[in-house]
Amino acid sequence: MAGGRGGGGSCGVAGSLALLVLAAAAQVACAAAAGHDYGTALSKSILYFEAQRSGRLPGGQRVAWRANSGLLDGKANGVDLVGGYYDAGDNVKFGLPMAFTVTMMSWSVLEYGDQMAAAGELGHALEAVRWGTDYFVKAHPEADVLYAEVGDGDSDHDCWQRPEDMTTSRQAYRLDPQHPGSELAGETAAAMAAASLVFRTSDPGYANQLLQHSKQLFDFADKYRGRYDSSITVARNYYASSSGYGDELLWAAAWLYQTSGDRRYLDYLANNADALGGTGWSINQFGWDVKYPGVQVLAAMVLLRGKAGGGPHADVLRRYKQKADLFACSCLGRAGASNVRRTPGGMIYHQSWNNVQFVTSASFLLAAYGDHLAAARQAAQCPSGAAAQPAELLAFARSQVDYILGSNPRATSYMVGYGATYPQQAHHRGASIVSIKADPAFVSCQGGYSSWYHRRGSNPNLLVGATVGGPDEYDNFADERDNYEQTEATTYNNAPMMGVLARLAAGHAGGRRFGHSLADEVSASSLKSDNQTSRPPPSLAAEHASPIEIEQNATASWTERGKTYHRYAVTVTNRSPKTVHELHIGISRLYGKVWGVDKARYGYVLPSWLPALPAGKSAAFVYVQAAPPADVWVTGYKLL
């Protein structure tokens, strides 16, 4: 496959279900032959988080060029908000990406903690998780209060200072019933639930504390529904919520069920699947904003563990699994029009700014889902009717990790400090300015720009393990400090990376750790009726059918300046008995203008004057191009 790197002809993918686990191990063994040291990369990926720490640094701090910072955070608001993580190369503590980072670090440990332990890195991984959750405990001082951000992007981005020298605003922004923020409260609930499961054995008291915070935050997010960036408008230019809060509510419920085994969270996940978009969204990217693929994989895991064969939620969980399968198939190039784009070198490509975040998150999701499918002796079913075997999911995840580590057309590693060639000018305030320990002279807001930001040459401090934004759609990359779209690293790039690296580092010892969770033990008695044999799934056509019907026709043609243009009319009809809300439409191979729909973050949406499509009703749009018809499909929707 494009972008794959392996040894010789003996590295083929096995097709028999009986050989899935062995085949996956063989793929990993071939990767080792390619020369990548996944264990070293794992160590470096976790070390990076120590460079992102805010607050009073511990005695065991290994990134020696950092020092204490943000020690007065929260004081003006009468609350202690010291700690947590800076999200990227700036000095703001943004709550949404920080919470997603902790969720993904926790999931990485839950899936591959044994492999991390074998590599000698589990202790460091647990420290990284706890640095985030300790902060979240502080940020949630009351049941219906959550401090969502410290500092603001506007003032911060006007300065180039070490975090130890900050003179920018450290105002804290909070959510409460009058200022709701369901995305952030839901994601923080998910992070604390997942982390609770991480610490269940090693520190049960702390695990119970996190679980209680998680439950309160989920109730707050669900009871007082609203977009967090409407309450905290300073976040809009940096981490706006384009997908809404439906995915975070489902994501939090899924994690609370995994952690507690409480049936009410499974009921929530199933009963709100249509209304919150869990079974309506078929998005092929997963990240800090859109969690639907993660929700779908977590729901599929419940099904794969055999806990819903004859239960009341079996049908809806199968629909969740169909969407999880579709995500996997789109990454492998087997989902038709909704396939993920790839660069000529084979990297997943979604956008120019920090594209690598989607590469690492998809790689983790594919590796984890593949392991769960293999354990259940199943495969992902693609719309074409072909099956995507678990070994293929792992092999593709490996190809993406290998690309990041240097198996790409430029032979450049996009992890700082790994490989022979890697970025030297990461867009990062602390790394780009001499350490305060080496030169304690104060660096002013504008002095940092004049003396350090525009300076040519390598950063004085090595941001070891940082996975930067990466190359463009043609595999091109410019290692320049002011090229923030490509050279800035983020915590949410690294969080899923550490999980998939642990999986790959383990070789034949890799596999699923998260298969027998606390939820299995807690809820076994209440789910005995679910352990019946599953009935056969519906046909593939029925599985991937949508209640939204799309029809397009060429309604006119004409020739102009030697080119023949066509006018295409597209009719979108709601065949569901419910009303469709937040309809998103994907369009590819579009070369001309389009009228009747508006461009959005995840495709196209109906005009603002048509916010919903009642049962049986239709909407239409047109486009003109000198080419065959575009590919048009439904990306996502909610049914109410």
Side-chain angles (χ1 to χ4, degrees):
M1 70 182 59
R5 296 293 185 273
S10 63
C11 295
V13 176
S16 168
L17 278 172
L19 298 175
L20 290 179
V21 178
L22 291 176
Q27 292 292 334
V28 176
C30 290
H36 287 302
D37 186 343
Y38 298 124
T40 295
L42 169 64
S43 300
K44 292 177 183 294
S45 73
I46 298 174
L47 180 62
Y48 159 75
F49 289 102
E50 295 191 18
Q52 297 303 110
R53 286 172 170 171
S54 180
R56 190 172 299 281
L57 301 184
Q61 172 80 9
R62 295 176 294 164
V63 178
W65 49 267
R66 281 295 323 282
N68 298 336
S69 63
L71 299 184
L72 299 180
D73 284 358
K75 185 174 182 180
N77 300 76
V79 62
D80 177 8
L81 295 177
V82 176
Y85 288 108
Y86 303 120
D87 72 299
D90 53 37
N91 299 325
V92 183
K93 295 192 293 199
F94 290 102
L96 188 57
M98 193 195 307
F100 179 70
T101 293
V102 173
T103 306
M104 294 309 298
M105 283 197 292
S106 298
W107 197 358
S108 293
V109 172
L110 291 170
E111 292 288 352
Y112 303 120
D114 289 344
Q115 291 79 4
M116 292 179 184
E121 290 296 333
L122 180 58
H124 292 139
L126 295 180
E127 290 172 3
V129 173
R130 190 157 190 157
W131 193 266
T133 52
D134 282 352
Y135 173 77
F136 293 148
V137 169
K138 293 180 178 181
H140 183 227
E142 302 172 39
D144 294 342
V145 172
L146 176 64
Y147 283 89
E149 181 173 326
V150 178
D152 72 89
D154 291 341
S155 65
D156 179 271
H157 284 54
D158 283 340
C159 288
W160 195 259
Q161 291 178 292
R162 299 175 293 209
E164 296 84 359
D165 286 329
M166 282 188 294
T167 57
T168 51
S169 168
R170 302 305 289 171
Q171 180 178 345
Y173 300 86
R174 75 178 228 169
L175 301 173
D176 54 39
Q178 292 73 42
H179 308 90
S182 297
E183 298 95 341
L184 183 49
E187 182 61 68
T188 310
M192 296 179 100
S196 172
L197 199 50
V198 165
F199 294 107
R200 181 59 60 197
T201 301
S202 62
D203 193 342
Y206 186 61
N208 287 334
Q209 180 187 16
L210 295 179
L211 183 57
Q212 289 307 116
H213 279 284
S214 176
K215 290 179 176 180
Q216 290 181 351
L217 283 166
F218 174 76
D219 290 341
F220 170 49
D222 191 41
K223 181 178 180 180
Y224 300 102
R225 293 189 181 185
R227 289 174 55 120
Y228 99 101
D229 54 3
S230 293
S231 295
I232 303 176
T233 57
V234 294
R236 284 181 184 170
N237 290 335
Y238 304 94
Y239 291 101
S241 173
S242 298
S243 68
Y245 51 74
D247 49 339
E248 280 84 9
L249 291 176
L250 295 171
W251 179 241
W255 276 112
L256 276 162
Y257 177 65
Q258 297 285 350
T259 303
S260 70
D262 188 333
R263 187 62 181 255
R264 80 180 179 99
Y265 296 112
L266 180 61
D267 292 342
Y268 187 98
L269 183 65
N271 295 337
N272 291 280
D274 284 341
L276 295 179
T279 52
W281 274 76
S282 302
I283 193 75
N284 60 17
Q285 60 179 263
F286 171 54
W288 62 263
D289 180 30
V290 59
K291 318 293 164 47
Y292 285 117
V295 172
Q296 291 153 0
V297 167
L298 288 177
M301 284 165 47
V302 177
L303 192 69
L304 292 170
R305 289 201 296 266
K307 296 174 63 175
H313 299 316
D315 286 340
V316 70
L317 289 175
R318 274 192 282 269
R319 288 195 285 131
Y320 271 116
K321 182 183 180 297
Q322 289 152 17
K323 298 298 185 182
D325 286 358
L326 192 60
F327 175 84
C329 294
S330 70
C331 290
L332 268 61
R334 300 182 190 174
S338 61
N339 285 340
V340 178
R341 293 174 59 194
R342 298 186 202 172
T343 67
M347 179 186 66
I348 288 173
Y349 185 80
H350 286 289
Q351 64 183 36
S352 60
W353 192 326
N354 190 19
N355 181 69
V356 159
Q357 64 178 300
F358 302 113
V359 182
T360 61
S361 59
S363 297
F364 172 83
L365 208 56
L366 291 172
Y369 190 40
D371 282 336
H372 284 272
L373 286 168
R377 304 181 65 79
Q378 292 192 32
Q381 299 299 318
C382 300
S384 63
Q389 304 294 351
E392 294 178 277
L393 271 60
L394 180 61
F396 184 74
R398 173 181 56 78
S399 76
Q400 298 302 296
V401 172
D402 287 354
Y403 184 106
I404 292 171
L405 296 181
S407 295
N408 55 63
R410 291 179 51 87
T412 295
S413 166
Y414 296 108
M415 175 182 283
V416 176
Y418 177 91
T421 303
Y422 52 80
Q424 300 291 323
Q425 296 189 35
H427 180 94
H428 188 276
R429 285 159 174 75
S432 67
I433 302 174
V434 65
S435 170
I436 196 168
K437 295 180 179 180
D439 184 353
F442 173 72
V443 177
S444 69
C445 179
Q446 293 304 312
Y449 272 115
S450 59
S451 299
W452 297 101
Y453 181 74
H454 297 294
R455 169 180 169 270
R456 297 298 179 187
S458 302
N459 288 342
N461 307 305
L462 196 63
L463 193 64
V464 176
T467 306
V468 301
D472 66 14
E473 59 188 313
Y474 304 109
D475 301 303
N476 297 318
F477 177 79
D479 183 14
E480 298 167 354
R481 195 170 297 110
D482 59 359
N483 180 20
Y484 46 82
E485 291 192 356
Q486 294 189 328
T487 62
E488 187 170 23
T490 69
T491 57
Y492 46 91
N493 290 9
N494 272 57
M497 187 73 164
M498 60 189 265
V500 70
L501 283 170
R503 172 66 175 94
L504 296 174
H508 66 277
R512 192 168 53 99
R513 178 179 186 266
F514 189 29
H516 187 71
S517 69
L518 181 67
D520 295 329
E521 302 168 7
V522 172
S523 60
S525 60
S526 65
L527 293 172
K528 286 180 180 178
S529 62
D530 288 351
N531 293 325
Q532 304 169 18
T533 302
S534 299
R535 66 171 184 252
S539 68
L540 284 173
E543 282 187 3
H544 296 284
S546 169
I548 315 300
E549 181 182 277
I550 292 179
E551 179 183 0
Q552 61 173 327
N553 298 286
T555 58
S557 299
W558 65 93
T559 301
E560 184 177 320
R561 296 182 180 178
K563 286 186 177 181
T564 301
Y565 290 86
H566 306 279
R567 180 184 185 273
Y568 296 98
V570 182
T571 303
V572 183
T573 304
N574 176 15
R575 297 300 186 193
S576 165
K578 299 180 180 180
T579 299
V580 170
H581 292 261
E582 298 180 33
L583 177 64
H584 284 68
I585 299 167
I587 308 177
S588 65
R589 297 197 303 166
L590 177 66
Y591 308 111
K593 292 183 178 180
V594 59
W595 295 268
V597 288
D598 296 331
K599 191 75 176 71
R601 175 70 176 80
Y602 303 110
Y604 293 81
V605 296
L606 298 178
S608 57
W609 53 267
L610 187 61
L613 201 60
K617 299 298 182 181
S618 300
F621 64 91
V622 299
Y623 61 93
V624 173
Q625 62 186 31
D631 290 324
V632 182
W633 70 97
V634 174
T635 300
Y637 59 87
K638 297 176 181 177
L639 291 177
L640 298 174

